[in-house]
Amino acid sequence: AQRVTQPEKLLSVFKGAPVELKCNYSYSGSPELFWYVQYSRQRLQLLLRHISRESIKGFTADLNKGETSFHLKKPFAQEEDSAMYYCALYNYGQNFVFGPGTRLSVLP
Amino acid sequence: SQTIHQWPATLVQPVGSPLSLECTVEGTSNPNLYWYRQAAGRGLQLLFYSVGIGQISSEVPQNLSASRPQDRQFILSSKKLLLSDSGFYLCAWGSSYEQYFGPGTRLTVT
């Protein structure tokens, strides 16, 4: 069965510190993985997708098939990065499977 | 451009009462539509999805049902609400490339 796990419910870092939001998945095929973000009082929205190999707002995520991970990283956290982050997997059955989410709090 | 609407924004209903939440999409045709529930500590849970009119797939057996009477309309319903139905309900449309979420409905069952 497809599953996405995010071990940290809450992650607090200081401004300027590196941040890594962990995501692990279980899927039998070749996964398509995404990170979604929800800022305060805003809609849930796509942050980045692994197939694009892009960097958005300084965030990057690398798919590690050996470790079945898709961790989200940023070298220098900013206060405006504080938000709820969801890792998600597309299972080719028209469905997305979302992780439980990690709330990132960037302290001044 | 495509937009997605949900209403109402907030709803307070007593236990045992019926529920109807509506979602509509503009600017696209034959979209895949989704209902999610976002609960604190439990993340985002897919409830239903639809690939066309009258085609509904349920991911989690529960007290809720969904219908798609028109191409760009998706309705979440219940005949009798339970306390455990309280939560934040999100409608989305999209594909394998991306999901676009509505503003959500905060449901409180008292």
PDB file of all heavy atoms in Angstrom, chain B residues 70-98:
ATOM      1  N   GLN B  70     -22.849  17.634 -11.969  1.00  0.00           N
ATOM      2  CA  GLN B  70     -22.425  18.349 -13.175  1.00  0.00           C
ATOM      3  C   GLN B  70     -20.906  18.242 -13.301  1.00  0.00           C
ATOM      4  O   GLN B  70     -20.207  17.916 -12.335  1.00  0.00           O
ATOM      5  CB  GLN B  70     -22.841  19.824 -13.108  1.00  0.00           C
ATOM      6  CG  GLN B  70     -24.343  20.039 -12.989  1.00  0.00           C
ATOM      7  CD  GLN B  70     -24.695  21.513 -12.941  1.00  0.00           C
ATOM      8  OE1 GLN B  70     -24.124  22.318 -13.680  1.00  0.00           O
ATOM      9  NE2 GLN B  70     -25.625  21.868 -12.077  1.00  0.00           N
ATOM     10  N   ASP B  71     -20.413  18.551 -14.473  1.00  0.00           N
ATOM     11  CA  ASP B  71     -18.996  18.363 -14.768  1.00  0.00           C
ATOM     12  C   ASP B  71     -18.087  19.081 -13.782  1.00  0.00           C
ATOM     13  O   ASP B  71     -17.055  18.552 -13.372  1.00  0.00           O
ATOM     14  CB  ASP B  71     -18.706  18.854 -16.197  1.00  0.00           C
ATOM     15  CG  ASP B  71     -17.249  18.665 -16.585  1.00  0.00           C
ATOM     16  OD1 ASP B  71     -16.703  17.571 -16.275  1.00  0.00           O
ATOM     17  OD2 ASP B  71     -16.650  19.569 -17.174  1.00  0.00           O
ATOM     18  N   ARG B  72     -18.499  20.299 -13.384  1.00  0.00           N
ATOM     19  CA  ARG B  72     -17.607  21.098 -12.547  1.00  0.00           C
ATOM     20  C   ARG B  72     -18.186  21.344 -11.159  1.00  0.00           C
ATOM     21  O   ARG B  72     -17.866  22.338 -10.510  1.00  0.00           O
ATOM     22  CB  ARG B  72     -17.303  22.423 -13.258  1.00  0.00           C
ATOM     23  CG  ARG B  72     -16.370  22.228 -14.450  1.00  0.00           C
ATOM     24  CD  ARG B  72     -16.254  23.475 -15.307  1.00  0.00           C
ATOM     25  NE  ARG B  72     -17.452  23.694 -16.098  1.00  0.00           N
ATOM     26  CZ  ARG B  72     -17.617  24.715 -16.924  1.00  0.00           C
ATOM     27  NH1 ARG B  72     -16.675  25.623 -17.052  1.00  0.00           N
ATOM     28  NH2 ARG B  72     -18.724  24.850 -17.616  1.00  0.00           N
ATOM     29  N   GLN B  73     -19.030  20.428 -10.700  1.00  0.00           N
ATOM     30  CA  GLN B  73     -19.657  20.560  -9.395  1.00  0.00           C
ATOM     31  C   GLN B  73     -19.452  19.276  -8.609  1.00  0.00           C
ATOM     32  O   GLN B  73     -19.714  18.170  -9.099  1.00  0.00           O
ATOM     33  CB  GLN B  73     -21.154  20.846  -9.550  1.00  0.00           C
ATOM     34  CG  GLN B  73     -21.876  21.089  -8.242  1.00  0.00           C
ATOM     35  CD  GLN B  73     -23.364  21.272  -8.458  1.00  0.00           C
ATOM     36  OE1 GLN B  73     -23.944  20.717  -9.386  1.00  0.00           O
ATOM     37  NE2 GLN B  73     -24.010  22.036  -7.593  1.00  0.00           N
ATOM     38  N   PHE B  74     -19.014  19.430  -7.369  1.00  0.00           N
ATOM     39  CA  PHE B  74     -18.724  18.278  -6.520  1.00  0.00           C
ATOM     40  C   PHE B  74     -19.322  18.564  -5.154  1.00  0.00           C
ATOM     41  O   PHE B  74     -19.056  19.613  -4.570  1.00  0.00           O
ATOM     42  CB  PHE B  74     -17.209  18.081  -6.431  1.00  0.00           C
ATOM     43  CG  PHE B  74     -16.761  16.687  -6.101  1.00  0.00           C
ATOM     44  CD1 PHE B  74     -17.548  15.580  -6.352  1.00  0.00           C
ATOM     45  CD2 PHE B  74     -15.505  16.466  -5.559  1.00  0.00           C
ATOM     46  CE1 PHE B  74     -17.112  14.294  -6.069  1.00  0.00           C
ATOM     47  CE2 PHE B  74     -15.053  15.183  -5.271  1.00  0.00           C
ATOM     48  CZ  PHE B  74     -15.859  14.103  -5.528  1.00  0.00           C
ATOM     49  N   ILE B  75     -20.141  17.643  -4.654  1.00  0.00           N
ATOM     50  CA  ILE B  75     -20.878  17.889  -3.422  1.00  0.00           C
ATOM     51  C   ILE B  75     -20.523  16.822  -2.394  1.00  0.00           C
ATOM     52  O   ILE B  75     -20.478  15.621  -2.721  1.00  0.00           O
ATOM     53  CB  ILE B  75     -22.392  17.892  -3.686  1.00  0.00           C
ATOM     54  CG1 ILE B  75     -22.747  19.045  -4.627  1.00  0.00           C
ATOM     55  CG2 ILE B  75     -23.162  18.018  -2.374  1.00  0.00           C
ATOM     56  CD1 ILE B  75     -24.179  19.042  -5.094  1.00  0.00           C
ATOM     57  N   LEU B  76     -20.295  17.249  -1.183  1.00  0.00           N
ATOM     58  CA  LEU B  76     -20.040  16.346  -0.057  1.00  0.00           C
ATOM     59  C   LEU B  76     -21.254  16.387   0.860  1.00  0.00           C
ATOM     60  O   LEU B  76     -21.704  17.472   1.236  1.00  0.00           O
ATOM     61  CB  LEU B  76     -18.783  16.777   0.695  1.00  0.00           C
ATOM     62  CG  LEU B  76     -18.345  15.884   1.853  1.00  0.00           C
ATOM     63  CD1 LEU B  76     -17.841  14.544   1.335  1.00  0.00           C
ATOM     64  CD2 LEU B  76     -17.244  16.560   2.667  1.00  0.00           C
ATOM     65  N   SER B  77     -21.765  15.213   1.219  1.00  0.00           N
ATOM     66  CA  SER B  77     -23.020  15.163   1.970  1.00  0.00           C
ATOM     67  C   SER B  77     -22.941  14.174   3.117  1.00  0.00           C
ATOM     68  O   SER B  77     -22.069  13.290   3.147  1.00  0.00           O
ATOM     69  CB  SER B  77     -24.170  14.733   1.053  1.00  0.00           C
ATOM     70  OG  SER B  77     -24.283  15.585  -0.063  1.00  0.00           O
ATOM     71  N   SER B  78     -23.888  14.373   4.021  1.00  0.00           N
ATOM     72  CA  SER B  78     -24.116  13.398   5.081  1.00  0.00           C
ATOM     73  C   SER B  78     -25.589  13.462   5.451  1.00  0.00           C
ATOM     74  O   SER B  78     -26.177  14.545   5.471  1.00  0.00           O
ATOM     75  CB  SER B  78     -23.252  13.682   6.291  1.00  0.00           C
ATOM     76  OG  SER B  78     -23.587  12.809   7.361  1.00  0.00           O
ATOM     77  N   LYS B  79     -26.176  12.307   5.767  1.00  0.00           N
ATOM     78  CA  LYS B  79     -27.576  12.289   6.199  1.00  0.00           C
ATOM     79  C   LYS B  79     -27.684  12.633   7.675  1.00  0.00           C
ATOM     80  O   LYS B  79     -28.618  13.295   8.108  1.00  0.00           O
ATOM     81  CB  LYS B  79     -28.184  10.923   5.923  1.00  0.00           C
ATOM     82  CG  LYS B  79     -28.344  10.605   4.456  1.00  0.00           C
ATOM     83  CD  LYS B  79     -29.012   9.248   4.258  1.00  0.00           C
ATOM     84  CE  LYS B  79     -29.198   8.968   2.773  1.00  0.00           C
ATOM     85  NZ  LYS B  79     -29.815   7.619   2.542  1.00  0.00           N
ATOM     86  N   LYS B  80     -26.695  12.167   8.467  1.00  0.00           N
ATOM     87  CA  LYS B  80     -26.700  12.435   9.905  1.00  0.00           C
ATOM     88  C   LYS B  80     -25.267  12.640  10.379  1.00  0.00           C
ATOM     89  O   LYS B  80     -24.484  11.693  10.424  1.00  0.00           O
ATOM     90  CB  LYS B  80     -27.320  11.276  10.682  1.00  0.00           C
ATOM     91  CG  LYS B  80     -28.811  11.116  10.504  1.00  0.00           C
ATOM     92  CD  LYS B  80     -29.352  10.009  11.406  1.00  0.00           C
ATOM     93  CE  LYS B  80     -30.854   9.880  11.261  1.00  0.00           C
ATOM     94  NZ  LYS B  80     -31.403   8.819  12.164  1.00  0.00           N
ATOM     95  N   LEU B  81     -24.938  13.847  10.772  1.00  0.00           N
ATOM     96  CA  LEU B  81     -23.585  14.162  11.190  1.00  0.00           C
ATOM     97  C   LEU B  81     -23.247  13.559  12.547  1.00  0.00           C
ATOM     98  O   LEU B  81     -24.097  13.463  13.442  1.00  0.00           O
ATOM     99  CB  LEU B  81     -23.382  15.676  11.254  1.00  0.00           C
ATOM    100  CG  LEU B  81     -23.209  16.389   9.911  1.00  0.00           C
ATOM    101  CD1 LEU B  81     -23.293  17.894  10.097  1.00  0.00           C
ATOM    102  CD2 LEU B  81     -21.886  16.004   9.266  1.00  0.00           C
ATOM    103  N   LEU B  82     -21.972  13.170  12.667  1.00  0.00           N
ATOM    104  CA  LEU B  82     -21.419  12.697  13.925  1.00  0.00           C
ATOM    105  C   LEU B  82     -20.434  13.731  14.460  1.00  0.00           C
ATOM    106  O   LEU B  82     -19.902  14.538  13.687  1.00  0.00           O
ATOM    107  CB  LEU B  82     -20.691  11.360  13.724  1.00  0.00           C
ATOM    108  CG  LEU B  82     -21.478  10.232  13.064  1.00  0.00           C
ATOM    109  CD1 LEU B  82     -20.550   9.056  12.772  1.00  0.00           C
ATOM    110  CD2 LEU B  82     -22.646   9.805  13.940  1.00  0.00           C
ATOM    111  N   LEU B  83     -20.158  13.663  15.740  1.00  0.00           N
ATOM    112  CA  LEU B  83     -19.164  14.579  16.303  1.00  0.00           C
ATOM    113  C   LEU B  83     -17.816  14.436  15.597  1.00  0.00           C
ATOM    114  O   LEU B  83     -17.111  15.420  15.369  1.00  0.00           O
ATOM    115  CB  LEU B  83     -18.987  14.326  17.803  1.00  0.00           C
ATOM    116  CG  LEU B  83     -20.088  14.810  18.724  1.00  0.00           C
ATOM    117  CD1 LEU B  83     -19.834  14.343  20.155  1.00  0.00           C
ATOM    118  CD2 LEU B  83     -20.222  16.332  18.679  1.00  0.00           C
ATOM    119  N   SER B  84     -17.501  13.209  15.226  1.00  0.00           N
ATOM    120  CA  SER B  84     -16.206  12.936  14.598  1.00  0.00           C
ATOM    121  C   SER B  84     -16.107  13.486  13.179  1.00  0.00           C
ATOM    122  O   SER B  84     -15.030  13.451  12.571  1.00  0.00           O
ATOM    123  CB  SER B  84     -15.953  11.425  14.558  1.00  0.00           C
ATOM    124  OG  SER B  84     -17.006  10.768  13.880  1.00  0.00           O
ATOM    125  N   ASP B  85     -17.203  14.013  12.641  1.00  0.00           N
ATOM    126  CA  ASP B  85     -17.149  14.614  11.307  1.00  0.00           C
ATOM    127  C   ASP B  85     -16.592  16.039  11.337  1.00  0.00           C
ATOM    128  O   ASP B  85     -16.347  16.631  10.283  1.00  0.00           O
ATOM    129  CB  ASP B  85     -18.543  14.633  10.678  1.00  0.00           C
ATOM    130  CG  ASP B  85     -19.052  13.243  10.348  1.00  0.00           C
ATOM    131  OD1 ASP B  85     -18.230  12.390   9.941  1.00  0.00           O
ATOM    132  OD2 ASP B  85     -20.263  13.000  10.513  1.00  0.00           O
ATOM    133  N   SER B  86     -16.411  16.577  12.508  1.00  0.00           N
ATOM    134  CA  SER B  86     -15.832  17.926  12.610  1.00  0.00           C
ATOM    135  C   SER B  86     -14.447  17.941  11.980  1.00  0.00           C
ATOM    136  O   SER B  86     -13.673  17.001  12.118  1.00  0.00           O
ATOM    137  CB  SER B  86     -15.731  18.338  14.075  1.00  0.00           C
ATOM    138  OG  SER B  86     -16.990  18.516  14.655  1.00  0.00           O
ATOM    139  N   GLY B  87     -14.157  19.045  11.289  1.00  0.00           N
ATOM    140  CA  GLY B  87     -12.851  19.158  10.654  1.00  0.00           C
ATOM    141  C   GLY B  87     -12.867  20.232   9.596  1.00  0.00           C
ATOM    142  O   GLY B  87     -13.837  20.981   9.437  1.00  0.00           O
ATOM    143  N   PHE B  88     -11.775  20.288   8.863  1.00  0.00           N
ATOM    144  CA  PHE B  88     -11.615  21.253   7.784  1.00  0.00           C
ATOM    145  C   PHE B  88     -11.645  20.477   6.477  1.00  0.00           C
ATOM    146  O   PHE B  88     -10.814  19.603   6.250  1.00  0.00           O
ATOM    147  CB  PHE B  88     -10.292  22.004   7.967  1.00  0.00           C
ATOM    148  CG  PHE B  88     -10.140  23.205   7.086  1.00  0.00           C
ATOM    149  CD1 PHE B  88     -11.012  24.275   7.193  1.00  0.00           C
ATOM    150  CD2 PHE B  88      -9.118  23.276   6.155  1.00  0.00           C
ATOM    151  CE1 PHE B  88     -10.864  25.395   6.390  1.00  0.00           C
ATOM    152  CE2 PHE B  88      -8.967  24.386   5.352  1.00  0.00           C
ATOM    153  CZ  PHE B  88      -9.840  25.453   5.461  1.00  0.00           C
ATOM    154  N   TYR B  89     -12.612  20.796   5.629  1.00  0.00           N
ATOM    155  CA  TYR B  89     -12.827  20.048   4.399  1.00  0.00           C
ATOM    156  C   TYR B  89     -12.330  20.849   3.204  1.00  0.00           C
ATOM    157  O   TYR B  89     -12.696  22.015   3.013  1.00  0.00           O
ATOM    158  CB  TYR B  89     -14.310  19.701   4.236  1.00  0.00           C
ATOM    159  CG  TYR B  89     -14.762  18.666   5.233  1.00  0.00           C
ATOM    160  CD1 TYR B  89     -15.143  19.039   6.528  1.00  0.00           C
ATOM    161  CD2 TYR B  89     -14.781  17.311   4.900  1.00  0.00           C
ATOM    162  CE1 TYR B  89     -15.531  18.088   7.451  1.00  0.00           C
ATOM    163  CE2 TYR B  89     -15.166  16.360   5.823  1.00  0.00           C
ATOM    164  CZ  TYR B  89     -15.533  16.757   7.091  1.00  0.00           C
ATOM    165  OH  TYR B  89     -15.916  15.812   8.014  1.00  0.00           O
ATOM    166  N   LEU B  90     -11.511  20.190   2.414  1.00  0.00           N
ATOM    167  CA  LEU B  90     -10.918  20.838   1.249  1.00  0.00           C
ATOM    168  C   LEU B  90     -11.368  20.147  -0.031  1.00  0.00           C
ATOM    169  O   LEU B  90     -11.329  18.922  -0.124  1.00  0.00           O
ATOM    170  CB  LEU B  90      -9.395  20.779   1.311  1.00  0.00           C
ATOM    171  CG  LEU B  90      -8.697  21.698   2.313  1.00  0.00           C
ATOM    172  CD1 LEU B  90      -7.238  21.315   2.436  1.00  0.00           C
ATOM    173  CD2 LEU B  90      -8.816  23.136   1.873  1.00  0.00           C
ATOM    174  N   CYS B  91     -11.762  20.941  -0.992  1.00  0.00           N
ATOM    175  CA  CYS B  91     -12.037  20.447  -2.341  1.00  0.00           C
ATOM    176  C   CYS B  91     -10.837  20.780  -3.216  1.00  0.00           C
ATOM    177  O   CYS B  91     -10.182  21.823  -3.010  1.00  0.00           O
ATOM    178  CB  CYS B  91     -13.296  21.115  -2.884  1.00  0.00           C
ATOM    179  SG  CYS B  91     -13.776  20.580  -4.540  1.00  0.00           S
ATOM    180  N   ALA B  92     -10.534  19.929  -4.154  1.00  0.00           N
ATOM    181  CA  ALA B  92      -9.420  20.191  -5.053  1.00  0.00           C
ATOM    182  C   ALA B  92      -9.740  19.657  -6.438  1.00  0.00           C
ATOM    183  O   ALA B  92     -10.548  18.748  -6.598  1.00  0.00           O
ATOM    184  CB  ALA B  92      -8.141  19.549  -4.526  1.00  0.00           C
ATOM    185  N   TRP B  93      -9.101  20.236  -7.425  1.00  0.00           N
ATOM    186  CA  TRP B  93      -9.157  19.676  -8.772  1.00  0.00           C
ATOM    187  C   TRP B  93      -7.722  19.539  -9.251  1.00  0.00           C
ATOM    188  O   TRP B  93      -6.805  20.181  -8.749  1.00  0.00           O
ATOM    189  CB  TRP B  93      -9.982  20.545  -9.718  1.00  0.00           C
ATOM    190  CG  TRP B  93      -9.306  21.806 -10.179  1.00  0.00           C
ATOM    191  CD1 TRP B  93      -9.314  23.010  -9.548  1.00  0.00           C
ATOM    192  CD2 TRP B  93      -8.546  21.963 -11.373  1.00  0.00           C
ATOM    193  NE1 TRP B  93      -8.583  23.916 -10.278  1.00  0.00           N
ATOM    194  CE2 TRP B  93      -8.110  23.314 -11.410  1.00  0.00           C
ATOM    195  CE3 TRP B  93      -8.197  21.129 -12.423  1.00  0.00           C
ATOM    196  CZ2 TRP B  93      -7.337  23.830 -12.441  1.00  0.00           C
ATOM    197  CZ3 TRP B  93      -7.426  21.633 -13.460  1.00  0.00           C
ATOM    198  CH2 TRP B  93      -7.010  22.972 -13.458  1.00  0.00           C
ATOM    199  N   GLY B  94      -7.514  18.662 -10.230  1.00  0.00           N
ATOM    200  CA  GLY B  94      -6.155  18.547 -10.715  1.00  0.00           C
ATOM    201  C   GLY B  94      -5.887  17.270 -11.463  1.00  0.00           C
ATOM    202  O   GLY B  94      -6.788  16.594 -11.933  1.00  0.00           O
ATOM    203  N   SER B  95      -4.606  16.991 -11.552  1.00  0.00           N
ATOM    204  CA  SER B  95      -4.142  15.850 -12.317  1.00  0.00           C
ATOM    205  C   SER B  95      -2.904  15.307 -11.633  1.00  0.00           C
ATOM    206  O   SER B  95      -2.617  15.663 -10.493  1.00  0.00           O
ATOM    207  CB  SER B  95      -3.800  16.299 -13.735  1.00  0.00           C
ATOM    208  OG  SER B  95      -2.705  17.217 -13.680  1.00  0.00           O
ATOM    209  N   SER B  96      -2.171  14.482 -12.359  1.00  0.00           N
ATOM    210  CA  SER B  96      -0.932  13.965 -11.791  1.00  0.00           C
ATOM    211  C   SER B  96       0.107  15.062 -11.667  1.00  0.00           C
ATOM    212  O   SER B  96       1.091  14.908 -10.952  1.00  0.00           O
ATOM    213  CB  SER B  96      -0.385  12.844 -12.659  1.00  0.00           C
ATOM    214  OG  SER B  96      -0.099  13.330 -13.961  1.00  0.00           O
ATOM    215  N   TYR B  97      -0.102  16.154 -12.388  1.00  0.00           N
ATOM    216  CA  TYR B  97       0.900  17.211 -12.385  1.00  0.00           C
ATOM    217  C   TYR B  97       0.777  18.118 -11.179  1.00  0.00           C
ATOM    218  O   TYR B  97       1.770  18.583 -10.633  1.00  0.00           O
ATOM    219  CB  TYR B  97       0.775  18.014 -13.677  1.00  0.00           C
ATOM    220  CG  TYR B  97       1.980  18.829 -14.010  1.00  0.00           C
ATOM    221  CD1 TYR B  97       3.201  18.215 -14.257  1.00  0.00           C
ATOM    222  CD2 TYR B  97       1.908  20.211 -14.088  1.00  0.00           C
ATOM    223  CE1 TYR B  97       4.320  18.970 -14.569  1.00  0.00           C
ATOM    224  CE2 TYR B  97       3.024  20.966 -14.403  1.00  0.00           C
ATOM    225  CZ  TYR B  97       4.215  20.339 -14.649  1.00  0.00           C
ATOM    226  OH  TYR B  97       5.321  21.089 -14.963  1.00  0.00           O
ATOM    227  N   GLU B  98      -0.447  18.385 -10.767  1.00  0.00           N
ATOM    228  CA  GLU B  98      -0.655  19.289  -9.646  1.00  0.00           C
ATOM    229  C   GLU B  98      -2.094  19.228  -9.166  1.00  0.00           C
ATOM    230  O   GLU B  98      -2.999  18.950  -9.950  1.00  0.00           O
ATOM    231  CB  GLU B  98      -0.335  20.734 -10.062  1.00  0.00           C
ATOM    232  CG  GLU B  98      -0.388  21.738  -8.916  1.00  0.00           C
ATOM    233  CD  GLU B  98       0.181  23.086  -9.281  1.00  0.00           C
ATOM    234  OE1 GLU B  98       0.786  23.213 -10.358  1.00  0.00           O
ATOM    235  OE2 GLU B  98       0.029  24.021  -8.474  1.00  0.00           O
TER     236      GLU B  98
END
